[in-house]
Amino acid sequence: MPDDLFAVPRLAAVYDPLELDRPDLDVYAAMVAEFGASRVLDVGCGTGTFACLLAERGIEVVGVDPALASLEIARTKPGAERVRWVHGDAGALPPVQMDLAVMTGNVAQVFVADEDWATTLVAVRRALVPGGRFVFEARDPARKAWLGWTREETYDRVELPEVGVVEHWTDLLEVTSTTVTFRGTYVFASDGKRLTSESTLRFRTRAELEESLRQAGFAVDEVRDAPDRPGLEFVFVASAR
């Protein structure tokens, strides 16, 4: 099930305005050009920012996401009419043959159970042409990014057009040997409404991720550093065998 941040319409509507700084999307767009991909699958496309960016550049894009509220926002964006939107997880994809599949942001880490991650990898592999590439990022658990996921470190107060003032912050709830659970809180000044969204991310090691890719039929070409978060993340580039 998608987190409330993406599935509850009022929260999904403020996701983009609160996440204006997305230099990671420029990195992914550069890789689309680097690999000469003309057909791209955006897994966990959310509100469609990246999918629409590519579509406006003439790329054939399929965007898939289980959060209907996010997809409804995606469909309103410039270029959205050129994207094929699919409501569901990667297993819901119709038969497609894409050159490149991407998972931006935290998407690769939302699959907490190993069986769900494995099933998703197989579905992505099936959607690629032989030799097609799969690119995604995952935080390096050794860097313990979650230590900064506190109200003190994340609190912000923003005035949004047609919405008003929104206060938001993150609280760390639980850390286990493999997962981190946190809660985002959003307070709308216009009516005092307070909404929350809890998330759990799975932190896999580089070795675990490489092995899972191999088992799903991928060859790991390289593991890059994330230019926008140097030293904090793995950026995997894998090829469908």
Side-chain angles (χ1 to χ4, degrees), residues 49-229:
T49 300
F50 186 60
C52 290
L53 181 154
L54 294 182
E56 290 204 292
R57 296 182 182 183
I59 304 295
E60 179 183 334
V61 187
V62 175
V64 58
D65 200 284
L68 183 58
S70 292
L71 286 180
E72 288 176 344
I73 292 170
R75 292 188 176 104
T76 69
K77 294 184 175 180
E81 71 282 357
R82 302 176 191 149
V83 179
R84 184 176 184 181
W85 303 106
V86 178
H87 178 218
D89 57 23
L93 285 168
V96 293
Q97 289 287 278
M98 314 301 284
D99 304 316
L100 174 68
V102 300
M103 288 182 182
T104 64
N106 294 329
V107 174
Q109 292 185 251
V110 303
F111 303 99
V112 175
D114 287 335
E115 54 269 32
D116 292 337
W117 175 235
T119 299
T120 300
L121 290 180
V122 169
V124 171
R125 167 64 188 84
R126 189 183 306 121
L128 290 170
V129 298
R133 290 182 174 90
F134 176 35
V135 178
F136 68 92
E137 64 189 75
R139 288 182 173 89
D140 181 353
R143 300 307 298 267
K144 299 183 179 180
W146 57 83
L147 295 179
W149 299 351
T150 64
R151 176 166 179 158
E152 293 72 24
E153 294 289 333
T154 61
Y155 176 85
D156 199 7
R157 184 179 185 275
V158 183
E159 185 164 2
L160 304 178
E162 302 181 6
V163 175
V165 173
V166 179
E167 296 177 87
H168 64 104
W169 65 88
T170 301
D171 290 302
L172 185 63
L173 300 181
E174 183 182 32
V175 179
T176 73
S177 60
T178 59
T179 63
V180 175
T181 300
F182 55 97
R183 179 178 59 236
T185 299
Y186 304 81
V187 181
F188 296 81
S190 61
D191 60 2
K193 187 71 173 180
R194 181 188 183 107
L195 298 176
T196 61
S197 177
E198 289 192 10
S199 304
T200 298
L201 298 181
R202 174 71 181 271
F203 281 74
R204 295 178 173 88
T205 66
R206 173 173 172 168
E208 289 173 324
L209 289 166
E210 289 180 344
E211 181 58 26
S212 68
L213 286 164
R214 293 189 185 98
Q215 290 186 8
F218 288 97
V220 179
D221 298 333
E222 58 181 317
V223 181
R224 303 181 179 183
D225 196 15
D228 58 312
R229 293 178 181 173

Side-chain angles (χ1 to χ4, degrees), residues 7-28:
V8 173
R10 191 170 187 181
L11 289 178
V14 299
Y15 176 79
D16 286 335
L18 295 178
E19 296 286 341
L20 286 176
D21 188 17
R22 290 294 305 274
D24 60 308
L25 299 186
D26 294 331
V27 176
Y28 280 94

